[in-house]
Amino acid sequence: MADHTLVLPGDALALGRLSASMNRSAPLKVGPGLRHIPPDVITPTVAGELCVDGKKNAIWVEGNNGRYMATAGDNVLVTVHHSSPDFYHCIVTPNTPYAQLPQLAFEGATKKSRPVLGPGSLVYARVSVANKYMDPELECVNPSTGRAEGLGELKGGTVFDVSLGMARRLMMPEPAKQGAVVVLDELADKIPYEIAVGRNGRIWVNAGDVKKTLAVGRALMETDKDKLGVDAQKKAVRRRLKAAGV
């Protein structure tokens, strides 16, 4: 579980003052929103919450506002813009370079059986390559297992936008315990639904029909926008489901 501290651009963060849970003998992973100044100072480049994850030996700055910056290992929800002979060129966030998704980066894909995705297709993918010298690259298969593991084209459903902070909380292993987000559990007790959360602040929901799908998405957006606590989230879920006739 990560520790959190508010930071501003230019703050000097001495490595020795970071969380005691960090593994000093392993390499430190410096994530988005931070810049390393040798030998031992890390400076935030954006305002937000400094997150320190001792288990992953990683630090990064999380802000609800601003643009998502692609980071290797992140799951993201992207839209296909166009294709070329070997790649699908996808929108991760508006007004940023397209991410490249190899047409063979899908489970079981070959030149003859690769998926055919047109402009506007929605894809749940993992960022495989991300650095400042090249456009991000995506994949929809685990290269170690050859399995999709939930990644790939998403059909039906509706996409909702939330803050980057909310997306991070929803993607925690235990959102209710670690992120104080109980809305997903409360909804699951009442209706079945599918959900895919992108680290880029986009969420895909499919609850089988339009009213239920909108109820799930709007409950998530309300929780994010109004910064609802646990009790308020439960009330919001009941209200949204009642309006949907559930």
Side-chain angles (χ1 to χ4, degrees):
M1 183 173 174
D3 298 325
H4 309 283
T5 304
L6 292 177
V7 294
L8 296 172
D11 287 350
L13 308 174
L15 293 179
R17 297 182 61 186
L18 295 178
S19 172
S21 63
M22 301 296 288
N23 184 352
R24 306 296 179 185
S25 62
L28 178 65
K29 299 176 182 177
V30 178
L34 293 171
R35 179 164 59 96
H36 178 215
I37 301 176
D40 62 353
V41 174
I42 293 176
T43 300
T45 57
V46 296
E49 205 173 34
L50 176 67
C51 300
V52 181
D53 193 328
K55 185 176 180 180
K56 296 181 179 179
N57 221 47
I59 57 174
W60 68 96
V61 174
E62 187 69 69
N64 280 345
N65 300 316
R67 176 171 55 87
Y68 168 74
M69 298 179 64
T71 302
D74 282 355
N75 286 356
V76 292
L77 212 60
V78 302
T79 303
V80 175
H81 183 270
H82 66 278
S83 63
S84 58
D86 296 315
F87 296 93
Y88 292 113
H89 301 270
C90 305
I91 301 171
V92 179
T93 55
N95 305 314
T96 59
Y98 300 126
Q100 298 185 97
L101 173 60
Q103 295 188 13
L104 298 182
F106 293 81
E107 181 178 343
T110 65
K111 289 187 177 180
K112 292 184 178 180
S113 66
R114 55 189 174 185
V116 178
L117 303 177
S121 295
L122 193 66
V123 181
Y124 194 42
R126 181 187 299 110
V127 179
S128 57
V129 177
N131 60 60
K132 63 182 180 180
Y133 302 108
M134 58 187 294
D135 295 340
E137 188 164 311
L138 309 172
E139 61 187 3
C140 288
V141 62
N142 185 328
S144 301
T145 64
R147 309 293 294 179
E149 299 179 357
L151 302 177
E153 184 181 10
L154 299 174
K155 298 181 179 180
T158 303
V159 176
F160 301 89
D161 293 322
V162 297
S163 68
L164 300 183
M166 181 65 172
R168 176 182 59 81
R169 292 165 65 196
L170 290 170
M171 297 179 79
M172 290 177 173
E174 299 179 79
K177 180 179 179 181
Q178 297 173 284
V181 180
V182 300
V183 63
L184 294 180
D185 292 338
E186 291 295 312
L187 287 163
D189 288 340
K190 304 294 190 300
I191 58 172
Y193 64 89
E194 297 177 278
I195 186 170
V197 181
R199 192 65 182 77
N200 54 335
R202 304 183 75 199
I203 299 175
W204 173 83
V205 177
N206 188 355
D209 66 59
V210 174
K211 287 186 178 181
K212 292 178 182 177
T213 297
L214 290 176
V216 174
R218 287 170 176 170
L220 289 167
M221 293 175 68
E222 181 180 348
T223 297
D224 180 31
K225 181 181 178 181
D226 297 338
K227 297 179 173 55
L228 301 183
V230 171
D231 291 337
Q233 290 176 48
K234 294 179 180 180
K235 292 179 180 178
V237 168
R238 289 195 295 268
R239 185 176 67 256
R240 293 292 181 182
L241 292 179
K242 183 178 179 181
V246 178

